[in-house]
Amino acid sequence: METSSRRKFSLPVVISILLAVVPLLTTSLATAWAVNHESMLRSWPFEWWVGVTIVLTLASSLALTPPTFLALVYGYFVGWASLPLLFGLNLGAIAIIYGLAGFMQASLIRGYLVQVYPQTAGLLRRFQKNEFRLIFFAKLSPVLPFAITNLFFAMAGARFRQVLIGGTLGMIPRTILAVWAGREAQNIRYLLEHPNEGLFTKIVLIILIVISTLGIGYFFKDKNE
């Protein structure tokens, strides 16, 4: 019986690993494709980018295309006009991931965790009391994987409204930074191979990472919740 339970619980673990590894492969393939088809992408009308965004929303929810990587590409080819598309992509992908978590029976997984690791009950209670704060700081970070963090929030029982609002506010700074970096780039190959090039970009990235780390760290240090 215990072996059977462990096998059932191994599914989310395997999925999390795939969500972390797959983007590395797809990003490399997408980079090569974008470099070889730069002239074609530059000729696309805005309406085509809208259609592509719908497809990429599904791809991002499945961890195939990281939104920050897409923001660099959109910034390079579309410029500031791509921001509404990118915000819509992020929100759509969050909604899809939230729906997938329900399909995976997140409540049963939480129950299993509490049964096997009783200490997680306290963490889940504290998360539910501070979910907006933790979601915001996690989405602010440009290094935490998009799909994994959203899946974690859904599995932990975060309310959909909190995930949308906190995720939106957190993603705005890093999305704007990525679009700006893409817009300022002179060469698509160099941009995608060196996404953090430039002193200003590096400083802002460090600031976002520090703020995000401090915010998340405060959650784990706060024992009074």
Side-chain angles (χ1 to χ4, degrees), residues 82-130:
S82 66
L83 283 176
L85 299 179
L86 293 167
F87 291 153
L89 182 150
N90 276 267
L91 294 176
I94 289 174
I96 293 174
I97 292 173
Y98 200 92
L100 290 176
F103 178 77
M104 294 169 60
Q105 298 182 314
S107 59
L108 294 181
I109 294 177
R110 287 197 303 274
Y112 173 82
L113 277 174
V114 172
Q115 181 181 4
V116 178
Y117 306 103
Q119 63 272 24
T120 60
L123 285 175
L124 288 174
R125 284 195 299 269
R126 287 169 54 202
F127 168 73
Q128 291 167 1
K129 291 181 180 179
N130 301 276

Side-chain angles (χ1 to χ4, degrees), residues 91-173:
L91 294 176
I94 289 174
I96 293 174
I97 292 173
Y98 200 92
L100 290 176
F103 178 77
M104 294 169 60
Q105 298 182 314
S107 59
L108 294 181
I109 294 177
R110 287 197 303 274
Y112 173 82
L113 277 174
V114 172
Q115 181 181 4
V116 178
Y117 306 103
Q119 63 272 24
T120 60
L123 285 175
L124 288 174
R125 284 195 299 269
R126 287 169 54 202
F127 168 73
Q128 291 167 1
K129 291 181 180 179
N130 301 276
E131 59 185 42
F132 179 84
R133 183 174 68 188
L134 186 58
I135 291 169
F136 170 78
F137 284 116
K139 303 310 292 182
L140 187 66
S141 173
V143 296
L144 293 179
F146 174 84
I148 290 181
T149 54
N150 286 310
L151 181 62
F152 167 80
F153 295 143
M155 288 292 183
R159 289 167 291 178
F160 183 57
R161 177 184 175 87
Q162 297 289 73
V163 176
L164 279 183
I165 298 176
T168 299
L169 294 177
M171 75 180 179
I172 288 176

